[in-house]
Amino acid sequence: MSAARGRSRTSGTTRFILLAAVVGVVLAFAVMVYRNAGNEVSAAPDFEGEGSGNALLHVEPGDTLGVVGDRLYDIGTVASTRAFTGAAAGTSVEGIQPGYYQVREEMSAASAVEALADPRNRVGFMDVKPGGRLLDTVVVGGGTEKGIFTLIADATCLRDLDDPEAPPTCRQPQEIVDAAVQADPTELGVPDWAINEVRGAPDPVRRLEGLIAPGVHNVSPQSEPLEILRQLIDSSTDAYDATGLVPSAERIGLTPYQVVTAASLVEKEGTLEDFDKIARVILNRLDEPMRLQFDSTVNYALADQEIATTDADRAAVTPWNTYAMDGLPYGPIGSPGLDALRAMENPAEGRWKYFVTVDMQGTTRFADEYPEHERYQSEAIANGVLSSGR
């Protein structure tokens, strides 16, 4: 019995050695085949040429190059994610900005990279400047500044990539205005702290003024105007609330809507280094009480605007003209930037009740009493700041 068991162990060891040898030969053969095949085995599927048709790519914040490749594959632009990431490695597309991009279908990976690097193919992009307004503004002696409604309409423009000579297809600004006026404020995403004021606005076309924050916004060109407005108001409300708007308003004795309104005055009346002092002037005047008498509030209702205003302009009674009314204007006169909003929430300490810009560089003088302010006004007049070009 013991001899038989010994022969069995020797036979099993031999079979194991033979099997290992066979496996080794097979693996060596596989490696040889793989190496000989070279690029034919490792190449990723790829289309040829520049493609055709029109597709829209959405790049979201945080998307990696691989995710962008997946999205391109899903919309039929590239044949494989691997082909795209290989072509994009080391190019500017590695740091592609979030937003929307026009591309064709069935493009080679290299063509897709070129398309994404072409700024003409970025769409749905809008940049709202601090102090920007809903409606276009005509500047005396200058051009026309596009309002937010026009910027939204421009952001919806799409080109026909197969017909470069054809004009782009765009929403019209009036479509955006109609949605802003006709939709219920809750559908538009108006925050609770502004809902009553928006519903009671004296001018429905301007009722959303100040509720779309300055900054870069990306909107889908294919969305309906109502959806675009809601997206913009939602993201802006989040940005405003993140500054501590609601508790700050209670601390300084205003409503959140009034803080946004006052911040829009701060934005229009001064430069960054003076924001907190202008905020204090507003609160000091409201506490007196005395009229704010800000030229920016006079300008808001005018067809053409400049720094100076006329006697007739200042005498005109409007819901915003703080020469002709007590307290704050009915609502914002533009979109306050976050710096202006924070300044209003955290005003400087001081007794100032007057200020005036005295030169074209924006230098501003602050005064506690009117005689001192008069001297600064004379300086401004001498420098041509308060001269009207109308």
Side-chain angles (χ1 to χ4, degrees), residues 355-359 365 370-387:
F355 67 91
V356 63
T357 300
V358 298
D359 58 33
R365 309 282 191 216
Y370 191 68
E372 182 184 12
H373 178 59
E374 280 188 308
R375 293 197 297 273
Y376 295 147
Q377 281 185 314
S378 298
E379 182 182 355
I381 292 170
N383 290 332
V385 176
L386 300 182
S387 300

Side-chain angles (χ1 to χ4, degrees), residues 68-358:
V68 173
D70 289 343
R71 295 186 192 280
L72 286 168
Y73 175 79
D74 289 341
I75 62 176
T77 294
V78 298
S80 69
T81 297
R82 191 150 61 94
F84 171 74
T85 55
T91 72
S92 62
V93 174
E94 276 193 321
I96 188 169
Q97 295 298 307
Y100 293 85
Y101 297 82
Q102 280 195 272
V103 290
R104 291 185 172 93
E105 297 174 353
E106 298 189 359
M107 305 179 77
S108 70
S111 294
V113 169
E114 289 180 11
L116 294 180
D118 187 342
R120 294 176 302 169
N121 291 329
R122 187 174 182 184
V123 293
F125 171 88
M126 54 183 291
D127 187 3
V128 178
K129 302 300 183 184
R133 291 172 170 164
L134 294 173
L135 301 177
D136 293 353
T137 300
V138 178
V139 180
V140 174
T144 299
E145 296 176 1
K146 289 185 177 182
I148 293 172
F149 290 142
T150 300
L151 293 177
I152 294 173
D154 288 350
T156 66
C157 292
L158 291 171
R159 297 180 297 135
D160 184 349
L161 299 181
D162 287 334
D163 186 3
E165 301 301 317
T169 302
C170 312
R171 294 277 185 184
Q172 295 304 306
Q174 189 59 47
E175 295 180 75
I176 316 301
V177 173
D178 290 344
V181 170
Q182 296 169 8
D184 186 272
T186 56
E187 292 183 281
L188 292 166
V190 172
D192 291 342
W193 47 259
I195 202 87
N196 291 333
E197 289 83 356
V198 168
R199 286 201 169 112
D203 182 355
V205 173
R206 302 176 191 258
R207 66 179 184 160
L208 300 181
E209 193 76 87
L211 298 183
I212 296 175
V216 171
H217 300 273
N218 292 296
V219 299
S220 171
Q222 297 174 331
S223 292
E224 294 295 319
L226 176 59
E227 296 172 29
I228 294 174
L229 286 169
R230 183 180 182 94
Q231 175 193 329
L232 293 172
I233 293 173
D234 280 346
S235 62
S236 299
T237 299
D238 290 343
Y240 286 168
D241 285 346
T243 67
L245 172 61
V246 175
S248 295
E250 185 175 358
R251 176 169 44 80
I252 63 176
L254 300 176
T255 69
Y257 189 73
Q258 288 174 325
V259 172
V260 174
T261 298
S264 74
L265 306 186
V266 170
E267 187 70 66
K268 285 292 187 181
E269 288 286 335
T271 53
L272 177 59
E273 62 267 24
D274 294 322
F275 278 175
D276 58 346
K277 296 174 75 174
I278 294 173
R280 176 52 64 189
V281 170
I282 292 173
L283 293 177
N284 286 347
R285 285 192 163 223
L286 293 176
D287 287 343
E288 276 289 325
M290 60 188 294
R291 289 185 174 179
L292 294 179
Q293 297 183 323
F294 284 1
D295 288 289
S296 57
T297 66
V298 178
N299 265 313
Y300 182 68
L302 299 179
D304 346 300
Q305 300 180 13
E306 61 178 346
I307 292 177
T309 57
T310 66
D311 291 342
D313 294 335
R314 292 189 293 274
V317 178
T318 76
W320 305 279
N321 181 3
T322 56
Y323 277 90
M325 64 184 289
D326 297 332
L328 290 164
Y330 181 87
I333 60 169
S335 294
L338 296 186
D339 287 326
L341 188 61
R342 292 190 186 99
M344 198 64 231
E345 295 167 353
N346 302 280
E349 291 299 325
R351 298 172 56 196
W352 314 289
K353 293 190 289 291
Y354 306 91
F355 67 91
V356 63
T357 300
V358 298

